[in-house]
Amino acid sequence: MSKVTTLEAAEILSVDDSTVFRWVDKGLLSADRITRKRIIMIDVDELRRFAQNNGHLFDERTARKYAK
């Protein structure tokens, strides 16, 4: 299970990182909050499903680059 940060997720989906924060805060995108400092990790498979279900492009090359 590979995870990416919100900044990396934003790059994978070609959106602003504040958009990813908003999706997570609204419960639209599942994620793990690591600390109170808003460090959020998102499962790559979940991000891919979210992109497919919501009409966003998903950059596989960038996802592989960031997957941890």
Side-chain angles (χ1 to χ4, degrees), residues 6 17-33 35-36 38-40 42 50:
T6 52
D17 63 320
S18 64
T19 301
V20 177
F21 273 114
R22 196 167 38 255
W23 290 336
V24 171
D25 285 343
K26 289 182 176 183
L28 302 173
L29 178 59
S30 179
D32 296 319
R33 293 183 185 272
T35 66
R36 293 182 194 168
R38 293 184 57 125
I39 296 174
I40 297 171
I42 301 164
F50 177 83

Side-chain angles (χ1 to χ4, degrees), residues 3-59:
K3 296 191 177 200
V4 294
T5 66
T6 52
L7 189 59
E8 293 164 345
E11 187 175 342
I12 292 166
L13 298 182
S14 298
V15 298
D16 191 77
D17 63 320
S18 64
T19 301
V20 177
F21 273 114
R22 196 167 38 255
W23 290 336
V24 171
D25 285 343
K26 289 182 176 183
L28 302 173
L29 178 59
S30 179
D32 296 319
R33 293 183 185 272
I34 305 302
T35 66
R36 293 182 194 168
K37 295 182 180 183
R38 293 184 57 125
I39 296 174
I40 297 171
M41 299 302 290
I42 301 164
D43 181 78
V44 173
D45 292 332
E46 174 63 26
L47 186 62
R48 186 180 291 109
R49 278 190 295 277
F50 177 83
Q52 290 171 346
N53 293 337
N54 293 282
H56 294 283
L57 296 177
F58 184 90
D59 186 339

